[in-house]
């Protein structure tokens, strides 16, 4: 079985490729690079971060094709396009821009137009030799500003989105849903993805880690947030294992699956902060302030006057505060049913959050090579 994969150098993508290689699949990966050699170097480095065995396995069972989601035809050469069309039974679309601060049109060029190009390639493969499945990694936060329980069958974002990432991923998912009338599509919606459950390892210190790093470094302790705000975290290895297990279930085609903690693992911001303060006991306690007043009156002022290392932290608050105010809850019944009997269950953040922090400190929040 050969699988065409996008996003293989990213946080989740490298774990998915690891799992595919371990299961005996041959991988054809789309990787941004100046040329084939540069793209191969980038992909191998991403896999070597996981372990050298995975990198060596990729030398035997992987082809890297230079290209880009925001390029016409995905930037594939004629030869590479023919390779995908002739040998790839499955498509796994994990590539995306995950930045919250991009102008919407720039986010769309990668997340929406890249998905459109991938679907065109998938249709061509379907017409030529058949397509076993197309798995699309979306995000649970296509729900946007919605409150309450969001079911896996729901597609509305009636209250709008908090940033260009959410909006563009919602639009991309709409394209995939439309294509599901003719292609064997499964949509996966992870929530907030963090490091491995056993050791806390991660190559990416974005998202959840930005405010944590700021607090751990003693640069910031004011939280424009509501302490009772519910957060939903999942470890990257759970997401990998769940995606790969569900892909093996024929009945998953045509389904949308929340890979989220759901009601089993919901934690409040107050609980997470309590662990932070206990772990970094030499830091000043976190001070909660009203987020609405902060964003209206304080944020514009401090963005103008902040200097040095504090400046990027201040600017990032504009994008993180909405997630520290209110979040929907994600129904996971489809995921639970499809994972039944696999032994794969989402762990509770309370059981491994200290491992995430220990790895962050040991790796100096990603600044220490080799961790």
């Amino acid at each position: 079985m050969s699988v065409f994969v996008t996003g293989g150098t990213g946080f989740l993508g490298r774990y998915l490729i690891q799992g595919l290689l371990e299961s005996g699949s041959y991988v054809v990966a789309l990787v941004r690079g100046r040329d084939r050699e540069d793209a191969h170097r980038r992909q191998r480095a991403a896999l070597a971060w996981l372990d050298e065995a995975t990198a060596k396995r990729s030398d035997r069972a992987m082809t890297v094709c230079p290209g880009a989601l925001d390029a016409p035809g995905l930037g594939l050469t004629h030869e590479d396009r023919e390779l995908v069309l002739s040998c790839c039974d499955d498509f796994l679309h994990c590539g995306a821009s995950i930045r919250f601060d991009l102008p919407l049109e720039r986010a769309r060029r990668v997340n929406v137009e890249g998905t459109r190009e991938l679907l065109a390639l998938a249709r061509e493969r379907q017409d030529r030799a058949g397509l076993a499945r197309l798995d699309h990694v979306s995000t649970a936060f296509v729900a946007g500003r919605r409150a309450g329980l969001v079911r896996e069958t729901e597609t509305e974002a009636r209250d709008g989105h908090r940033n260009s990432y959410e909006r563009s991923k919602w639009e991309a998912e709409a394209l995939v849903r439309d294509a599901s009338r003719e292609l064997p599509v499964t949509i996966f919606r992870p929530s907030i993805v963090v490091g491995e459950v056993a050791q806390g390892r991660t190559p990416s210190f974005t998202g959840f880690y930005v405010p944590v790093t700021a607090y751990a470094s003693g640069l910031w302790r004011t939280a424009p947030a509501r302490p009772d705000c519910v957060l939903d975290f999942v470890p990257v290895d759970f997401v990998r294992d769940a995606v790969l297990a569900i892909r093996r279930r024929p009945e998953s085609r045509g389904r949308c699956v929340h890979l989220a903690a759901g009601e089993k693992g919901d934690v409040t911001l107050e609980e997470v902060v309590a662990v932070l303060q206990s772990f970094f006991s030499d830091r000043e306690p976190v001070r909660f302030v009203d987020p609405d007043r902060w964003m209206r009156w304080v944020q514009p002022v401090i963005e103008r006057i902040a200097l040095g290392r504090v400046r990027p932290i201040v600017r990032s608050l504009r994008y993180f505060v909405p997630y520290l105010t209110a979040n929907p809850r994600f129904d996971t019944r489809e995921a639970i049913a499809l994972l039944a009997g696999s032994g794969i269950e989402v762990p509770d953040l309370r059981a491994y959050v200290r491992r995430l922090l220990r790895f962050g400190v040991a790796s100096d929040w990603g600044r220490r090579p080799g961790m």
Side-chain angles (χ1 to χ4, degrees):
M1 180 71 70
S2 296
V3 187
F4 179 56
V5 179
T6 68
T9 60
F11 177 23
L12 174 59
R14 72 185 73 191
Y15 282 87
L16 290 171
I17 287 179
Q18 179 190 49
L20 289 170
L21 292 172
E22 287 178 351
S23 70
S25 295
Y26 190 91
V27 174
V28 178
L30 179 77
V31 178
R32 186 181 291 275
R34 294 185 302 274
D35 50 33
R36 190 174 302 277
E37 183 179 351
D38 182 50
H40 182 270
R41 179 191 58 76
R42 293 185 67 242
Q43 182 64 77
R44 198 183 192 285
L47 296 176
W49 185 92
L50 294 173
D51 58 70
E52 190 57 32
T54 297
K56 288 180 178 178
R57 191 176 286 117
S58 74
D59 294 336
R60 302 187 302 271
M62 186 172 184
T63 296
V64 174
C65 302
L69 291 175
D70 56 356
L74 302 176
L76 290 167
T77 65
H78 174 74
E79 292 77 12
D80 286 340
R81 189 176 185 88
E82 283 301 308
L83 173 67
V84 173
L85 292 172
S86 63
C87 82
C88 291
D89 311 283
D90 295 0
F91 282 28
L92 175 53
H93 182 32
C94 187
S97 169
I98 60 171
R99 286 178 56 180
F100 291 175
D101 60 345
L102 286 180
L104 181 57
E105 287 309 310
R106 285 184 60 192
R108 281 173 170 155
R109 282 202 293 271
V110 177
N111 294 344
V112 182
E113 297 310 314
T115 299
R116 196 187 307 276
E117 293 285 357
L118 180 116
L119 290 171
L121 188 64
R123 289 186 179 98
E124 193 171 346
R125 163 69 195 195
Q126 173 86 316
D127 293 342
R128 180 182 295 195
L131 184 70
R133 60 183 305 124
L134 189 159
D135 297 300
H136 173 70
V137 179
S138 183
T139 171
F141 292 94
V142 293
R145 299 179 185 276
R146 284 189 55 182
L149 185 68
V150 177
R151 301 195 184 281
E152 290 154 299
T153 54
E154 293 181 296
T155 62
E156 291 184 356
R158 52 180 174 265
D159 299 316
H161 294 95
R162 289 173 276 204
N163 51 60
S164 62
Y165 168 69
E166 288 186 355
R167 173 75 190 194
S168 61
K169 289 292 284 183
W170 178 73
E171 292 177 4
E173 188 180 295
L175 292 178
V176 176
R177 285 181 177 280
D178 187 59
S180 68
R181 294 193 294 251
E182 53 189 308
L183 297 174
V185 165
T186 302
I187 296 171
F188 294 95
R189 291 177 175 172
S191 58
I192 302 170
V193 183
V194 294
E196 299 172 17
V197 67
Q199 301 295 331
R201 296 178 76 236
T202 176
S204 175
F205 288 90
T206 58
F208 157 79
Y209 293 95
V210 173
V212 170
T213 304
Y215 179 71
S217 303
L219 297 175
W220 197 259
R221 70 179 184 92
T222 301
R226 295 198 163 87
D228 61 348
C229 176
V230 172
L231 304 172
D232 191 303
F233 297 95
V234 284
V236 64
D237 41 346
F238 160 75
V239 179
R240 175 199 59 201
D241 295 347
V243 168
L244 296 178
I246 290 171
R247 288 181 76 253
R248 292 192 288 269
R249 303 286 295 270
E251 66 270 31
S252 67
R253 291 192 287 258
R255 311 277 276 276
C256 179
V257 183
H258 277 151
L259 299 180
E263 294 183 358
K264 176 180 179 180
D266 278 350
V267 295
T268 65
L269 178 59
E270 189 170 35
E271 289 179 276
V272 174
V273 165
V275 175
L276 274 178
Q277 292 181 164
S278 172
F279 190 88
F280 299 106
S281 56
D282 58 335
R283 299 292 181 227
E284 292 291 322
V286 171
R287 180 180 61 188
F288 288 100
V289 297
D290 181 80
D292 297 326
R293 291 183 181 178
W294 177 277
M295 294 304 293
R296 184 174 181 181
W297 302 109
V298 181
Q299 184 72 19
V301 175
I302 62 172
E303 281 191 16
R304 288 198 299 269
I305 65 174
L307 299 172
R309 295 171 65 193
V310 176
R311 192 170 196 174
I313 297 169
V314 169
R315 288 181 174 175
S316 70
L317 289 174
R318 181 174 297 275
Y319 303 101
F320 287 109
V321 167
Y323 295 96
L324 305 179
T325 302
N327 292 303
R329 283 182 163 87
F330 303 113
D331 176 46
T332 57
R333 281 181 290 183
E334 290 276 0
I336 291 170
L338 288 168
L339 290 172
S342 68
I344 300 169
E345 295 184 1
V346 63
D348 190 321
L349 178 72
R350 299 169 187 85
Y352 65 93
V353 64
R354 287 181 175 270
R355 298 172 204 155
L356 302 178
L357 301 177
R358 280 196 291 269
F359 181 80
V361 172
S363 65
D364 195 18
W365 308 102
R367 289 186 286 269
R368 188 167 296 145
M371 291 295 294

